[in-house]
Amino acid sequence: MSCDYKLFQELRGHDEDVRSLARVEIEADGFRVASSSRDKSVRVWRSEIGAANDCEAVVLGHEDFVTSVTYYGGGPKDTKQGSGGDTSFLATGSRDKTARIWRLRYEEAAAKDGESTSTSPGLEFSLCECAAVLRGHRYQVTAALVLERSQPEGSEPKGSFLVATASLDGVVRIWKVGADDVEREQDKPVQVISDHEGPVLCLCELEDGTLASGSGDSSIRLWKRASGSDKTFHCVGVQKEHTDSVRSLASLPGEIGYLSASHDTTVRSWGASGAAKVFMGHSALVYDVKAARTAAGTVIAASASEDCTCRVWDAESGQCMQVLEMSGCAWAVDLVPTSRSPLPLLVAGTSDGVVRVFGQSLEDGLLDENLVAAFDAAVAERKAGDSKAQDAAQGHSPQGLKVEDISALKEPGAKDGQVKTVRDTDGKTYAYQWSVISLKWECVGEVVAGPEDPASTGAGASSVVAPDKMFDGQHYDYVFDVDVQDGVPPLKLPYNRGENPYEAADRFLLAHSLPQSYREQVVQFIIQNTGGTQEPSAAVPMDVTANVDPYARTRAAAAYHVPLSDCLRFEQCKKDSMMSKIREFNEGQGQEMRMSDAHLGCLDKAVVLSLQRRPVAEEADLGVLVEALNLSLLWEKEKMFPILDALRIILLCVDSEAVMSRVIEGCPLFDIVVKAVDHPRPTAIEVTVLRLACNACVASPSFAQSLFEPLLNSMAESCKSKSKPVRLAWSTLLLNCAVLVKGKAEIDPTLLLSYTFQAASEYVDVLDMDSSFRALVGLGTLMTNDSSTQALAKDLGLDALVSKAKQLGGRMSEVSSDLQNILRS
């Protein structure tokens, strides 16, 4: 069997990834679909085959990205707006830890100037309002679903309906929502189901009213609502055939069965007997699956995957009918039946923020050739980029030379002496070296053929390094091409004269994820091929795969960067400027909040002693210091940042624990710091408080631990700050807290991992190397020797994050390898 879906519409308006889709069943011929996005919004789209599409509603209210959206069209009868109207509901879940129920109202459209309305039978959007806000989950809400077939008794006019929500906290909550509620806040569910051993990632309701839940523990659990006096849900079945997280569930229409999509790259179809058929074909995580009936009465399914494809399946046989290449990661898919086509429309949501509609056997003239050509070009560009990224990740380039755009010099170097090779606007290639003294990239010279290269233009050639001696932006005396396997490009083995061959071997094994058992063979290869003066020019054969189990998952080598054992500090200080600003702000205070010269002198002395790593308690008057802090911490919020910055430096003194004990005893420092970050807060306050908290992790872990959750919850949006200093301070705080967790601090590791993963994802996307690197190290530190956090990280999309970070090269590639090795160990 096969089908021939073709693109005919694009619904544009979201600013970020489209994460979930739901068909809105209002009209027969036209169609509506709801989409949720990382941009914190839900959009309801109204369209018709052959007509322009329209975003009729933008639903706002969530404070973080909207993870899921589902539709419920069976509202209680008294909510109907007369014979020509309709009321339905959307249920949404979000990373802000809440679920929301939204009421959509539609009214019959009036014809204008004798013209018919654009859709039949002519219902137009009238109103969207929030009916209920459901709070109580500890982490991201992954799914929210109005239960159509398990309604409470008495849900007649002015009745209520049940809602199920799922979360990364591992529980399913059942709520009762009034049909006429408006913005009703709830925090007490009618039931909490918590049998899963991992995060709950998806929900669906089957035709017989059974509730199904899928989890990161790789299981599916089936729940039924008891009859009689006990109306609670009870587990009636467990399926454990998937080998990785169950990400999506969908009921089969007209059958007591369902589909499941999993991170194990498969889709499975479950019948009433519990037996499963396996649909195989995807090459990466499958994020979503939906099913619908065709005009002929058969059932088809559609799936969306991280492999950037959507697949259409015959739900009966499991045969793949079509593979649709997408322009990015396919997060969501849905099937929308229509009388204009024998097969349902296929709607896909992708990482580029676009909702695309595909149809089969559409009338002539409905396909826009320009739209199709632009989409095909986007797909081709994505595939070409994937190929280049894969080559870059493996260290391959045409001449072994990694040449970057001149914009690469905008990022600071990772270490002193790091070399980057860039192509300037004049078309020539130059080598730049990072200097920690000048804190800038210094041009070494133009990269041309070396004096030993036949292409050299003569004695006057200005050679810096020869292209065949460059690897990953660095100059080596040797860069060997090592044939590992027939039909596979050779691997690059860089080596410098005088270098310890064992260190070079470890670097090579780690870069290519080869077993440590190859180490001695690689060392001998280096020794044998660097003993003379003649350098090999062709690929040198070396069978490093002999007598090796191809299925073995051996850790390649010791980690470069994780786990981190010591917290990081912010030590840089411009003392004169800081004290000058403190004196300026002090002059503007009233007499009751103004510090005396003695106060200012004591504060100045404490900062100097701290910078010199001398004991403050012995050489400064702590009583006067506490008095100074009590006065200055009452200043207006926008004038507190230099005082908090001085306190950040005082935390560096050698007796910081004793000093902080006296300070905390003498003034309400905790309350003042937490209050300082209340909205609105200036950027200067934001970055200073974050840096202060980072230093507190080193100087006073008990104080830092008390600050952790208040700061994390109130400053989570720092993750998306446009200020790089804020982003760096935020990722450093997360990293330090990860170190404290490994030191047995009482900090919730699941909450910390959720925030750290978000930061790493955001900063990789905006190419903030320093901030993303620290967040990735924090992830690795949390995941080390902890299977539960490893499983949660995988459920959040660790594989995709690592793949993206690895393409950035350098230490980003190294820490990505660290994370991969943690999962393999």
Side-chain angles (χ1 to χ4, degrees), residues 85-401:
D86 194 5
T87 297
S88 52
F89 295 87
L90 295 178
T92 58
S94 170
R95 196 161 64 179
D96 65 10
K97 307 175 193 174
T98 71
R100 290 176 181 252
I101 309 300
W102 309 89
R103 183 181 294 105
L104 301 178
R105 296 193 187 276
Y106 292 88
E107 296 179 353
E108 186 173 353
K112 300 178 181 179
D113 300 327
E115 296 179 358
S116 62
T117 55
S118 61
T119 58
S120 177
L123 291 176
E124 285 192 346
F125 173 76
S126 171
L127 173 68
C128 174
E129 58 185 351
C130 181
V133 181
L134 310 177
R135 303 184 185 275
H137 283 294
R138 291 186 297 134
Y139 310 123
Q140 171 179 315
V141 177
T142 54
L145 179 70
V146 176
L147 301 177
E148 299 185 39
R149 302 172 184 87
S150 301
Q151 293 308 323
E153 295 179 1
S155 59
E156 304 303 332
K158 298 187 180 299
S160 59
F161 47 81
L162 294 179
V163 175
T165 59
S167 168
L168 293 182
D169 61 14
V171 303
V172 176
R173 292 176 177 246
I174 308 296
W175 312 78
K176 186 182 289 186
V177 176
D180 295 324
D181 287 349
V182 177
E183 295 189 4
R184 181 187 171 195
E185 298 263 351
Q186 292 194 47
D187 58 10
K188 291 182 171 57
V190 298
Q191 185 181 358
V192 176
I193 303 170
S194 57
D195 285 359
H196 279 294
E197 298 176 357
V200 186
L201 304 176
C202 52
L203 298 169
C204 82
E205 188 181 27
L206 309 188
E207 292 284 337
D208 64 349
T210 300
L211 175 65
S213 58
S215 169
D217 64 12
S218 306
S219 75
I220 301 167
R221 292 182 179 264
L222 303 176
W223 313 85
K224 278 197 173 180
R225 194 165 183 249
S227 57
S229 58
D230 182 7
K231 300 295 184 181
T232 59
F233 284 86
H234 298 272
C235 184
V236 296
V238 181
Q239 302 290 355
K240 292 187 175 181
E241 292 193 25
H242 280 295
T243 59
D244 207 334
S245 301
V246 179
R247 188 57 176 262
S248 178
L249 295 166
S251 175
L252 287 168
E255 304 177 26
I256 304 184
Y258 58 96
L259 299 168
S260 59
S262 170
H263 286 186
D264 65 13
T265 74
T266 69
V267 173
R268 294 174 186 256
S269 176
W270 306 82
S273 65
K277 298 174 185 175
V278 184
F279 303 177
M280 300 185 68
H282 283 296
S283 59
L285 314 184
V286 187
Y287 288 124
D288 198 13
V289 65
K290 297 287 174 57
R293 285 200 176 276
T294 68
T298 59
V299 178
I300 64 170
S303 57
S305 169
E306 191 178 57
D307 64 12
C308 301
T309 70
C310 289
R311 287 178 177 255
V312 185
W313 310 86
D314 178 351
E316 177 62 28
S317 67
Q319 180 179 349
C320 181
M321 302 164 64
Q322 187 177 358
V323 179
L324 292 169
E325 294 277 357
M326 297 293 154
S327 55
C329 174
W331 287 110
V333 69
D334 210 338
L335 294 167
V336 182
T338 173
S339 61
R340 301 284 296 276
S341 173
L343 293 183
L345 302 176
L346 187 148
V347 187
T350 51
S351 56
D352 58 6
V354 181
V355 178
R356 292 183 173 86
V357 186
F358 299 80
Q360 163 150 315
S361 301
L362 301 175
E363 297 94 330
D364 292 338
L366 291 182
L367 298 180
D368 183 336
E369 293 183 359
N370 293 330
L371 180 68
V372 173
F375 174 66
D376 290 344
V379 171
E381 182 179 359
R382 187 267 302 169
K383 295 173 77 172
D386 289 348
S387 178
K388 290 179 180 179
Q390 183 177 4
D391 287 345
Q394 294 174 349
H396 299 305
S397 58
Q399 295 83 31
L401 178 64

Side-chain angles (χ1 to χ4, degrees), residues 760-781:
S761 300
E762 296 287 346
Y763 300 157
V764 167
D765 286 344
V766 299
L767 300 181
D768 184 342
M769 302 299 187
D770 294 331
S771 302
S772 57
F773 175 77
R774 293 191 179 187
L776 289 169
V777 173
L779 277 178
T781 301

Side-chain angles (χ1 to χ4, degrees), residues 504-515:
D506 286 341
R507 182 176 63 240
F508 174 75
L509 296 177
L510 180 62
H512 300 290
S513 299
L514 296 172

Side-chain angles (χ1 to χ4, degrees), residues 1 4 33 210 230 284 313 388 438 474 595 610 714 724 753 811:
M1 294 180 63
D4 188 24
V33 64
T210 300
D230 182 7
W313 310 86
K388 290 179 180 179
S438 62
Q474 297 186 44
M595 290 187 289
S610 299
S714 62
K724 184 172 180 179
L753 185 131
R811 60 178 181 165

Side-chain angles (χ1 to χ4, degrees), residues 590-656:
Q591 191 64 38
E592 68 282 1
M593 291 186 294
R594 185 181 302 168
M595 290 187 289
S596 66
D597 289 343
H599 292 140
L600 291 170
C602 183
L603 189 61
D604 190 300
K605 184 176 183 180
V607 170
V608 171
L609 291 171
S610 299
L611 290 173
Q612 295 174 351
R613 301 294 190 272
R614 292 162 59 187
V616 172
E618 295 180 10
E619 301 185 43
D621 190 330
L622 289 187
V624 176
L625 177 63
V626 170
E627 289 177 6
L629 291 174
N630 273 320
L631 289 170
S632 58
L633 291 174
L634 295 176
W635 293 355
E636 301 92 326
K637 182 188 298 186
E638 60 272 14
K639 294 182 179 180
M640 284 174 54
F641 71 88
I643 293 294
L644 294 174
D645 206 33
L647 190 58
R648 168 183 70 87
I649 299 302
I650 293 172
L651 284 167
L652 300 175
C653 67
V654 295
D655 56 344
S656 57

Side-chain angles (χ1 to χ4, degrees), residues 636-711:
E636 301 92 326
K637 182 188 298 186
E638 60 272 14
K639 294 182 179 180
M640 284 174 54
F641 71 88
I643 293 294
L644 294 174
D645 206 33
L647 190 58
R648 168 183 70 87
I649 299 302
I650 293 172
L651 284 167
L652 300 175
C653 67
V654 295
D655 56 344
S656 57
E657 191 72 51
V659 173
M660 285 304 299
S661 296
R662 181 67 183 277
V663 168
I664 294 171
E665 179 184 323
C667 71
L669 181 60
F670 174 85
D671 294 334
I672 292 169
V673 172
V674 172
K675 183 179 179 181
V677 296
D678 286 343
H679 286 291
R681 58 173 177 256
T683 299
I685 283 286
E686 192 168 26
V687 69
T688 303
V689 168
L690 288 172
R691 289 174 174 175
L692 184 153
C694 290
N695 286 4
C697 291
V698 181
S700 180
S702 58
F703 178 58
Q705 185 171 319
S706 64
L707 276 177
F708 174 72
E709 289 203 16
L711 283 186

